[in-house]
Amino acid sequence: MGKQFFGTDGIRGRTNASVMTAVTAMKVGQAAGTRFLRGDHRHRVVIGKDTRLSGYMLENAMVAGFTSVGMDVVLLGPMPTPAVALLTQELRADVGVMISASHNPYEDNGIKLFGPDGFKLSDADELAIEAMLAEDLALASSDEIGRARRIDDARGRYIHAVKQSLSKAIRLDGLKIALDCANGAAYQVAPSAFWELGAEVFALGVEPNGRNINLNCGSTHVGALQETVVSSGADIGIALDGDADRLIVVDEKGQVVDGDQIMALIGSEWAAQGRLSGGGVVATVMSNLGLERFLRGRGLGLVRTAVGDRHVLEAMRKGGYNVGGEQSGHMILLDHATTGDGTVAALQVLAALVQSGKRASELLHLFDPVPQLLRNVRFAGGKPLEADSVKAAIADAEASLNGNGRLVIRPSGTEPVIRVMAEGDDAGEVEAAVASICAAVERAAA
């Protein structure tokens, strides 16, 4: 049986208009609590959230769910997703919860679950929890109902862990950093961490009001950061998303640096230092061919996975890799975190900047991306990718690229859309390939 609630990154949707209601949140708390009631010890769950208005509602509902089945709850308040993963381990909790819809607008929200090891739940655990949502679960006896408490030092614990990811010999003194926290979960911890390491911080997106998370700010809207970098004379710009598990960088000229360039930098730096495990980097099918060629030129490999940091992490753990991520900015550095951590990844970039003595524009543009084009084709129903005419168009496009490019054609996991991506050395051939496949899909879906 497939999953109906859980997607590639937990449960997500429009609050009070889809699955993301207080009722669902309470049931997830009861089901996840029941799933992780293992052993005779007093059981504990850690809950963090970002700054969305609906976080209050969902947090309280989940507290009710977990405590009703006998789990104690530790509330962290607004904290990055990687902080929840970290503190789940640190506090010896049985399960961790992050209430966030990542880079989505404030009207959406979501639930991400972590096991006691700090890693996101397996498919088996998610399927088991889904099955429980339709059941009447056993509640704790009146004397075994859980308690809830907030801890005041969660931010300090996470800041300390973030700084520990950097060598004590490295300081950020004299470095001017423009930092956009997306009015999200890292609005307090990220500026503090960089300041404590000696940097001068120009902070944006640090005034959350419940409705402005990711609103024209953060890793998906870097315009304001670009302007701030240039106008303030900053050495570099750092953009996080709403739950701070992804990172986009802006160099001192205001040019955007995506996840592919960041992976190229960290992967090659760690390889030179003898720190890179697995002999390469893990990325998704959407990462640019230029990254693959850059790594190959340094004797390093690139393992590609399906889209989603969940798939990247799975391949990393299976193959023994410690650097992976997505073009969109998810950066997973397993030496320091069990999930994507934009702040930790940013510190690796800043360390390279300090040690190299180069300007960000020199350091962070390690390869020229090959022309890449992505288009979405909506369809009303059916399976247009199975049509013979579409298969023929894909075969013709592959032949036109003549081994000097790639095609990625896949249905979206969240909406009725076929995503058509092509890349290659010739921009004209890339555009023609995408256009022909999109036209064939549109005809087949008509």
Side-chain angles (χ1 to χ4, degrees):
M1 182 181 70
K3 292 183 285 188
Q4 298 178 350
F5 287 87
F6 285 91
T8 57
D9 197 16
I11 303 171
R12 189 177 299 183
R14 185 63 57 97
T15 49
N16 281 353
S18 66
V19 297
M20 289 310 305
T21 65
V23 172
T24 299
M26 185 181 71
K27 288 182 176 178
V28 170
Q30 291 177 327
T34 300
R35 177 70 174 172
F36 285 91
L37 284 172
R38 303 168 180 173
D40 297 327
H41 62 279
R42 187 67 190 175
H43 293 83
R44 177 182 293 169
V45 57
V46 168
I47 300 180
K49 62 180 181 179
D50 64 23
T51 57
R52 294 164 208 271
L53 180 63
S54 57
Y56 297 99
M57 174 185 76
L58 298 176
E59 178 186 58
N60 286 324
M62 296 203 79
V63 169
F66 279 111
T67 55
S68 72
V69 296
M71 268 204 171
D72 290 338
V73 178
V74 176
L75 296 168
L76 307 180
M79 290 287 284
T81 289
V84 174
L86 169 75
L87 290 169
T88 298
Q89 296 174 286
E90 291 281 317
L91 296 173
R92 308 298 192 269
D94 300 278
V95 62
V97 178
M98 179 63 182
I99 301 171
S100 173
S102 189
H103 58 282
N104 287 27
Y106 88 91
E107 295 93 344
D108 294 348
N109 216 327
I111 298 170
K112 303 179 186 183
L113 297 174
F114 296 89
D117 58 0
F119 288 97
K120 291 178 181 177
L121 294 191
S122 66
D123 284 335
D125 280 324
E126 289 185 348
L127 282 168
I129 290 169
E130 278 219 359
M132 293 180 189
L133 296 181
E135 300 175 5
D136 291 327
L137 299 175
L139 302 180
S141 60
S142 57
D143 61 331
E144 290 295 326
I145 292 172
R147 300 173 182 267
R149 61 174 290 184
R150 293 188 179 272
I151 59 172
D152 298 326
D153 62 345
R155 290 197 297 271
R157 293 186 188 211
Y158 176 65
I159 290 170
H160 176 73
V162 164
K163 294 188 325 187
Q164 290 294 107
S165 70
L166 208 58
S167 166
K168 287 183 171 60
I170 296 175
R171 298 182 59 90
L172 305 183
D173 299 69
L175 205 60
K176 294 182 178 180
I177 302 171
L179 172 64
D180 187 343
C181 296
N183 290 313
Y187 79 100
Q188 293 175 313
V189 294
S192 295
F194 294 147
W195 175 82
E196 289 182 19
L197 289 166
E200 181 181 356
V201 180
F202 303 93
L204 296 77
V206 290
E207 298 179 353
N209 62 17
R211 295 182 174 88
N212 61 359
I213 186 171
N214 301 314
L215 181 61
N216 299 321
C217 59
S219 62
T220 52
H221 300 88
V222 296
L225 180 63
Q226 289 173 290
E227 293 176 6
T228 301
V229 167
V230 175
S231 64
S232 67
D235 298 296
I236 194 169
I238 302 294
L240 306 174
D241 68 335
D243 67 334
D245 65 353
R246 69 169 69 186
L247 163 73
I248 294 293
V249 173
V250 172
D251 69 22
E252 84 283 357
K253 297 179 180 179
Q255 297 172 320
V256 176
V257 180
D258 67 11
D260 285 348
Q261 297 282 358
I262 297 169
M263 282 187 282
L265 174 67
I266 296 176
S268 59
E269 287 284 318
W270 283 24
Q273 298 164 12
R275 298 172 57 194
L276 188 68
S277 300
V281 170
V282 179
T284 76
V285 293
M286 300 307 293
S287 278
N288 194 272
L289 186 59
L291 172 62
E292 186 173 340
R293 292 173 176 173
F294 169 82
L295 293 172
R296 188 190 309 145
R298 281 149 184 80
L300 303 174
L302 179 68
V303 175
R304 292 186 183 272
T305 74
V307 173
D309 64 318
R310 179 192 189 96
H311 300 296
V312 172
L313 179 59
E314 181 181 343
M316 291 176 69
R317 298 181 73 185
K318 184 177 180 179
Y321 296 87
N322 60 350
V323 175
E326 295 188 275
Q327 188 183 67
S328 60
H330 280 115
M331 293 293 122
I332 304 175
L333 305 178
L334 280 183
D335 288 1
H336 304 299
T338 57
T339 189
D341 192 324
T343 309
V344 164
L347 284 179
Q348 295 301 313
V349 173
L350 296 174
L353 193 65
V354 170
Q355 291 175 310
S356 70
K358 296 179 180 178
R359 299 181 72 81
S361 56
E362 300 174 78
L363 181 73
L364 287 161
H365 296 277
L366 296 172
F367 63 88
D368 292 326
V370 304
Q372 186 182 80
L373 182 61
L374 171 66
R375 288 184 182 163
N376 297 326
V377 183
R378 290 196 168 272
F379 63 100
K383 299 179 179 179
L385 290 183
E386 296 182 4
D388 290 340
S389 57
V390 174
K391 293 178 181 178
I394 292 172
D396 289 344
E398 287 177 336
S400 72
L401 294 174
N402 194 29
N404 293 316
R406 294 189 309 125
L407 291 175
V408 179
I409 297 97
R410 63 183 183 90
S412 167
T414 58
E415 54 185 331
V417 163
I418 302 295
R419 305 197 192 282
V420 180
M421 189 277 280
E423 63 180 0
D425 294 319
D426 188 305
E429 290 179 352
V430 167
E431 186 168 352
V434 170
S436 65
I437 296 171
C438 288
V441 172
E442 288 171 347
R443 288 192 296 269

